Amino acid sequence: MQTPQKIAVVGSGLVGTLLAIYLKRAGHTVHVYDRSPDIRTIQFSGRSINLVMSNRGWKALEDVGLDAEIRKIGIPVDKRAIHLQDGKLNYQFYGKEGEAIFSLSRGVLNRKMVDLAEAEGVKFFFEHKIWDVNLATASLYEGESEQGDWTELKYDKVFGADGAFSRIRHRMQRQSMFDYSQEFMQIGYKELHIPANADGSHKIDKNSLHIWPRGNFMLMALSNLDGSFTCTLFMPFKGENSFESLKDEAALAAFFAKYFPDTKEVIPDLVRDFFKNPTSYLAIMKCFPWTFEDKVALIGDSAHAIVPFYGHGMNAGFEDITILNELIHTYGDDWNAIFSEYEISRKPNADAIAELSRRNFEEMSNKTADSNFLLQKKIEKWFSDKHPDKWMPLYSRVTFSLQPYSEAMAIGDFQNEIMQEVLKIENIEKIWDSEQVENKILELLQ
């Protein structure tokens, strides 16, 4: 047990609330500040992407005994359902039998996490705007406006869990030797909605991540407990098939009729949702260091915002907490050692999942409909089933294991080089599961 301290967490999102539970369990007084209203009292704004929980996220919840509560509000998803433009539907299973990610509504999960944190004794201060932090003293400055009067709030430690546009990181950026980069993708997203059937059942398979891959744009859908699906349209801001080109109802209807004809029956409110919901941006944000002395630390998106195409933003943030907790148990009250090792350990892995997430847009929007890619995945699964000690596909390493992201990416890159050689074998599409192919992979693995 650590010496009790007074700790502030800025940000009441998923990472902030789970971190608050961990810190409270460690014996600290924990206050969480958020400039927004209590999420339990508001409707979501139509700019959400459903979350998927995988092994790294479950690990963080299991360590504080909260996994069973969260499983009640999730739906297991064991495969991709690929909707081709010609109307065909292909299924691609994620892992071995029984392996699944869990679809979770961001709003439902966040409300549940706040309830669980309050039950632990964490105190929340909603609609309290934090404008600045004194890094040396761990004091927060709160006020109604950035130009108005501020109140000083004194703490022993401050954690910035306030997202990609963090006010805590903004202060840290003004220090010498602080590296920061922000990259906006040329692709945005818009939330759409598939309602439940009249009896509350799902209109399409609830245990699949549905993808309509169309090259440089795609539609995606994940199920909710109430029978609905949260859909997300990802596409460029400008160009031929872009948000800019869909200016009116006629253009939108023609676009969906051409590229997503099988959605006509399941998205009845397409026009209303499309023009009501905002078009949101996607950004990759990297920085270092993540801490200041033994006083202030960044965690989750405030330290490493990524794009959502691997479904690991939340999982990576929860894994930050797992690592931080392990270091707390190792170093006790030595917060300098805890913070130093935390950022050194997590930085390369945060960079790796950022890169993997960027790559996965290409896989989901383009390659999932490509015959060579599908053959590669088939060979990988076949070889992995025969030699589980020699081959685990990259997706399984990232999603169904706790192997550091940086190691998973390096091994995945090596395995991909092997597969590119295998795909060059003559008649590979006919002999893909032969002894010849098996021996070739074993040889290349040496």
Side-chain angles (χ1 to χ4, degrees), residues 172-423:
M172 292 174 71
Q173 284 172 234
R174 298 183 226 172
Q175 305 303 300
S176 299
M177 305 297 287
F178 188 94
D179 293 327
Y180 172 75
S181 68
Q182 178 178 286
E183 176 191 352
F184 280 93
M185 293 191 74
Q186 299 307 304
I187 296 159
Y189 70 91
K190 188 180 287 284
E191 181 185 321
L192 303 172
H193 183 72
I194 296 176
N197 288 316
D199 63 358
S201 61
H202 293 83
K203 290 184 185 297
I204 52 180
D205 179 36
K206 70 176 182 178
N207 300 116
S208 296
L209 167 63
H210 293 266
I211 305 174
W212 289 258
R214 302 296 184 261
N216 67 339
F217 62 96
M218 68 174 178
L219 182 66
M220 192 177 86
L222 275 164
S223 54
N224 298 308
L225 282 180
D226 64 1
S228 69
F229 283 78
T230 300
C231 304
T232 315
L233 176 63
F234 295 97
M235 64 191 307
F237 290 107
K238 300 187 175 192
E240 183 184 353
N241 292 310
S242 67
F243 286 114
E244 179 186 60
S245 67
L246 302 178
K247 292 197 181 299
D248 54 48
E249 186 175 332
L252 178 66
F255 175 78
F256 265 73
K258 179 177 180 181
Y259 291 107
F260 309 118
D262 62 338
T263 66
K264 186 175 181 181
E265 302 304 317
V266 296
I267 310 183
D269 298 320
L270 170 65
V271 173
R272 187 198 69 184
D273 286 352
F274 187 90
F275 291 108
K276 180 192 75 166
N277 292 340
T279 303
S280 299
Y281 293 85
L282 295 170
I284 298 169
M285 193 286 303
K286 298 179 182 179
C287 70
F288 197 80
W290 294 1
T291 66
F292 183 86
E293 296 177 353
D294 63 346
K295 295 292 186 185
V296 180
L298 303 174
I299 196 160
D301 283 357
S302 63
H304 50 79
I306 62 176
V307 290
F309 303 118
Y310 228 115
H312 270 259
M314 171 186 62
N315 289 287
F318 279 14
E319 192 172 59
D320 289 348
I321 299 171
T322 297
I323 299 303
L324 189 69
N325 185 54
E326 289 171 358
L327 295 169
I328 285 170
H329 284 286
T330 300
Y331 292 111
D333 284 335
D334 188 351
W335 283 94
N336 274 310
I338 292 166
F339 279 0
S340 175
E341 197 160 324
Y342 158 69
E343 64 184 5
I344 291 168
S345 163
R346 291 303 289 157
K347 171 63 174 170
N349 294 309
D351 287 351
I353 191 58
E355 175 58 26
L356 288 167
S357 299
R358 183 206 302 270
R359 291 182 193 176
N360 222 39
F361 176 73
E362 168 68 11
E363 177 171 317
M364 293 170 74
S365 66
N366 206 354
K367 291 183 179 178
T368 49
D370 177 75
S371 58
N372 255 7
F373 175 80
L374 299 178
L375 177 59
Q376 176 178 337
K377 293 300 170 189
K378 192 157 66 169
I379 297 170
E380 286 192 57
K381 185 178 187 318
W382 163 75
F383 185 82
S384 175
D385 288 345
K386 291 197 79 171
H387 300 279
D389 57 324
K390 291 185 168 59
W391 193 287
M392 180 188 285
L394 174 61
Y395 187 89
S396 292
R397 289 181 187 278
V398 171
T399 302
F400 301 124
S401 89
L402 302 177
Q403 183 173 38
Y405 287 126
S406 55
E407 289 180 19
M409 185 169 77
I411 295 168
D413 287 347
F414 172 62
Q415 289 181 167
N416 188 56
E417 288 173 12
I418 289 174
M419 288 307 303
Q420 296 317 302
E421 289 301 309
V422 169
L423 290 171

